Amino acid sequence: MAYATGGLWLDEAWSAIHVYRTGSILGVFTSINHDNNHHLTSVWLQLHGPQASPLAQRALSIVSGAASVAVAAAIGRRTSNVAGLVAATLFAVSPVFVTYGAEARGYASMTLMVLVAILLVDRWAAGEAPAPRGPLAIVFAIGMLSQLTMLFAFFAIGGWILFVQLERARGWASVRRTLEMTSPALIVILAILSLVFVAPMIDGKGMSVGAYVPFTWAAYREAMIGLTAHLVGAPLLHSWPIAVILASLAVAVGIALPRRSFYVLAILCFPLAIAVLQPANPSNGRYYMLVAIATLVMWSDLAAWAWQRGTGFRYGCAALFLAMVGASISVDLALIRDARGDPDGAIRWIAAGSPQGSSVMLERKMGSAVYEVASRRSGYPLHIYINGCAPAAYLIVHRFRAEPFGDHSSYCGHAWRRIAEDRSEGLSEEGWRLYRRID
């Protein structure tokens, strides 16, 4: 909640703008033909309107994140109380889940649905419940409407089910039983994908994407390092957390943890499949959320195993756990302090200098939604120019990730004085620099 108070950042703002322009809940499903439309979050934003506070706009994710902690505890507690405590704590403090649990995006509710699916299948695999055909279909429907990367979880969950069936019956019988169990969820997934991708083709508009960046190994590596480093609260973006995760996976397989087939599929096979298929936009760490979810659940299982091995293992387990929690909370506090660069701050500076209203020119169109949303919510009359040079009193230079601001003291034939700036780090990093015209 502390991290959810700053203004909406780039991706959140574009989601909100699409929602406000479509004007209706029905339009969320029929008119926003854009990959930045996370349907359940879009409905939430539509219900609250542009004047709602950032905390209210992000409340669906906050609740989903809190519920994820409870479900993770329930999954871990199936192994032991130690595993339940570790799972709950790690999901509560890991900067990855703190970040996405405090954004008006669909990753928090998708995470919740992945965890619910794990719990359902785990109870079935242990013989404690019948095959959850209907519940899995509902879970995947909600997950897909939360964020389409829920599709990746279907293959990991479905593969896990297949491995369990292979232990019970060999040959085609195991495949048939797996299909019987997963087909309702698959039908729901295909229906939602049709709604998202086929409908825009039928009406002739086509599907739009915010950015299309070809696959590169550098971008892929950047995404994996960023995600795994923030998963453990690592202060530096180094590759060692990846090595730790892979070593943990090897141990999980070696000691035959009950959910090891799911861990292998989610943590190893999924990112390897991305590397082989090489889809566009590989630098977004949030696309690999399945890896983060499966890793924390696996670590809770390994903690329970280590706890049972004796005093030495217990001390080592406790030390690693406390170090990870401490490092994660340290990163969380830094994220809260940065508030994603709080783009609302730029509007406050402009309003302080020009209380009756003013105009601003954006050096790039990319950030226009951020400041349109901020001005709408504040009610401050601000005219935003987004196409080239314009007769504006202010200039905003918006940057994504670690891009340098550059010097704009002379721009579009005018002299400018820098009056404020803000910048953030983390998985949703961006920044802005505000200038006032002085000639």
Side-chain angles (χ1 to χ4, degrees), residues 119-407:
L119 182 60
L120 289 172
V121 174
D122 198 49
R123 294 182 69 245
W124 162 78
E128 300 171 8
R133 298 181 182 88
L136 275 180
I138 295 171
V139 164
F140 276 96
I142 298 172
M144 289 291 292
L145 290 174
S146 297
Q147 222 293 324
L148 293 181
T149 51
M150 182 74 182
L151 177 64
F152 304 144
F154 174 78
F155 292 106
I157 295 288
W160 177 21
I161 292 171
L162 176 59
F163 276 103
V164 174
Q165 296 287 13
L166 285 170
E167 294 174 355
R168 298 176 178 180
R170 295 293 177 182
W172 286 107
S174 60
V175 176
R176 176 177 54 80
R177 292 175 183 177
T178 300
L179 291 174
E180 289 175 354
M181 186 168 167
T182 59
S183 56
L186 180 59
I187 291 170
V188 166
I189 289 171
L190 293 175
I192 293 174
L193 289 175
S194 298
L195 171 69
V196 173
F197 291 103
V198 177
M201 297 178 186
I202 293 175
D203 68 14
K205 296 178 182 178
M207 190 72 177
S208 300
V209 296
Y212 186 91
V213 181
F215 182 94
T216 65
W217 287 106
Y220 175 76
R221 179 177 179 273
E222 175 190 350
M224 295 304 299
I225 288 177
L227 180 77
T228 54
H230 284 89
L231 185 65
V232 300
L236 298 174
L237 298 184
H238 288 167
S239 58
W240 64 262
I242 297 177
V244 171
I245 291 172
L246 292 177
S248 302
L249 180 62
V251 173
V253 172
I255 63 175
L257 287 181
R259 291 183 281 262
R260 61 190 178 280
S261 57
F262 170 71
Y263 299 145
V264 170
L265 290 167
I267 298 171
L268 181 63
C269 295
F270 163 52
L272 285 178
I274 297 296
V276 171
L277 297 174
Q278 299 191 356
N281 299 333
S283 63
N284 293 313
R286 55 188 177 272
Y287 291 166
Y288 308 97
M289 285 289 286
L290 178 62
V291 175
I293 296 167
T295 296
L296 293 195
V297 176
M298 178 183 70
W299 280 347
S300 70
D301 276 352
L302 287 174
W305 174 82
W307 198 259
Q308 297 172 351
R309 305 299 294 180
T311 303
F313 279 90
R314 288 189 177 189
Y315 282 131
C317 177
L320 287 172
F321 174 69
L322 293 175
M324 190 182 304
V325 170
S328 295
I329 291 176
S330 176
V331 173
D332 294 337
L333 294 175
L335 294 175
I336 292 167
R337 182 192 63 239
D338 290 346
R340 299 180 188 83
D342 191 12
D344 284 7
I347 306 302
R348 290 193 293 268
W349 274 96
I350 295 173
S354 305
Q356 303 305 315
S358 190
S359 58
V360 64
M361 174 173 50
L362 298 184
E363 181 248 0
R364 289 183 185 175
K365 182 180 179 180
M366 176 184 68
S368 60
V370 174
Y371 305 101
E372 182 179 340
V373 168
S375 62
R376 281 193 187 202
R377 185 172 55 254
S378 66
Y380 177 73
L382 180 68
H383 187 85
I384 301 175
Y385 294 99
I386 60 175
N387 294 313
C389 298
Y394 294 88
L395 167 68
I396 291 179
V397 179
H398 188 96
R399 290 292 181 263
F400 187 49
R401 294 185 175 171
E403 295 178 295
F405 283 116
D407 181 19

